[in-house]
Amino acid sequence: MKSQVADDTWIVIPLFNEGPVIRGVVQTVLEKFDKVVCVDDGSTDDSAAEAAAGGAIVVQHPINLGAGAAIRTGLDYALQDPTARHFVTFDADGQHQVGDAIDMVARLDVEGLDIIIGSRFLDDRTKPGTIKKAVLRTAVLFERLSTGIQLTDAHCGLRALNRRAATLIEITQNRMAHATEIVAEISRHDLAYAEHPVHILYTDYSRAKGQSVWNSVNIISDLFVK
């Protein structure tokens, strides 16, 4: 059964070398939402074909530019739809839950919010590991000091935005620093924001793709070297 917001919501999925995993992710999302755009960020495998086979619209970057660039491309594509009111950024590796996205989108209108950021730390369902947790806590502290935005988790890829936020937020940092930039944009535009508890399901695949210790190091380096 489709959600009540299915027809006016775009799901934006950045992907890079996801292979067959992305087909299942897209199919699962389309069970609840009508519109999915995948931005293939210069993949060298069959990710674009798999995403299309799953039912997504696919926009392609000719070269790998990074997650930030892919998200901005996806939002720009979705904003061309005049009926679109909500936009969700959703990871391609299967770690996000569609039910969380539905709840977050519903809150936008009910609470008059511009953007909702998913948080792994508002309940105890997600187990990020000691090193990852420490890095994410460090990132939150940095962003609280630099932007004044009070978050418990600034680097969760699951976000819900209304049309105002999707239009106003500029993303010039292509790689991991885009998450920090989004937080800064919330402050710059005085967007109404909140967090929502989400369950991030770490699998061997998702850890290999984006949740490794090296990725944690990249988060820290991008905070300070831009």
Side-chain angles (χ1 to χ4, degrees), residues 4-212:
Q4 293 181 345
V5 295
D7 60 346
D8 65 9
T9 300
W10 277 89
I11 308 299
V12 175
I13 304 179
L15 62 105
F16 176 72
N17 286 351
E18 302 298 340
V21 172
I22 185 58
R23 184 190 295 207
V25 171
V26 169
Q27 290 173 336
T28 299
V29 171
L30 285 172
E31 291 175 2
K32 299 297 182 181
F33 292 96
D34 291 330
K35 302 169 183 178
V36 177
V37 57
C38 287
V39 180
D40 179 33
D41 191 37
S43 293
T44 57
D45 65 359
D46 58 354
S47 291
E50 289 289 340
I57 292 170
V58 179
V59 178
Q60 291 182 279
H61 287 166
I63 60 174
N64 178 240
L65 297 175
I71 289 171
R72 188 63 260 176
T73 295
L75 290 175
D76 288 342
Y77 181 90
L79 282 164
Q80 296 178 74
D81 177 359
T83 68
R85 298 178 55 244
H86 309 107
F87 308 82
V88 175
T89 65
F90 198 94
D91 285 355
D93 56 12
Q95 65 178 3
H96 291 161
Q97 312 305 307
V98 177
D100 289 334
I102 293 171
D103 293 341
M104 291 166 72
V105 170
R107 286 185 62 190
L108 288 174
D109 289 337
V110 171
E111 300 178 33
L113 297 167
D114 295 310
I115 182 170
I116 299 176
I117 308 293
S119 174
R120 288 160 278 196
F121 303 119
L122 292 178
D123 60 30
D124 59 1
R125 290 176 295 167
T126 302
K127 311 298 182 184
T130 303
I131 294 176
K132 183 73 172 180
K133 188 173 183 178
V135 168
L136 293 171
R137 295 294 194 192
T138 300
V140 163
L141 177 60
F142 174 88
E143 282 146 13
R144 284 182 179 179
L145 293 174
S146 62
T147 68
I149 299 297
Q150 301 295 307
L151 297 175
T152 62
D153 187 358
H155 279 263
C156 179
L158 184 55
R159 312 173 187 87
L161 304 82
N162 66 9
R163 194 173 187 92
R164 177 172 181 253
T167 301
L168 288 177
I169 289 177
E170 296 181 12
I171 305 175
T172 61
Q173 298 291 332
N174 287 344
R175 299 192 180 274
M176 294 310 300
H178 75 273
T180 300
E181 190 170 30
I182 289 172
V183 176
E185 287 290 285
I186 293 172
S187 176
R188 185 164 79 93
H189 295 292
D190 195 25
L191 299 176
Y193 72 94
E195 289 187 290
H196 187 84
V198 298
H199 180 199
I200 304 302
L201 182 61
Y202 295 118
T203 64
D204 290 341
Y205 176 81
S206 68
R207 289 181 187 278
K209 285 294 296 182
Q211 304 302 328
S212 66

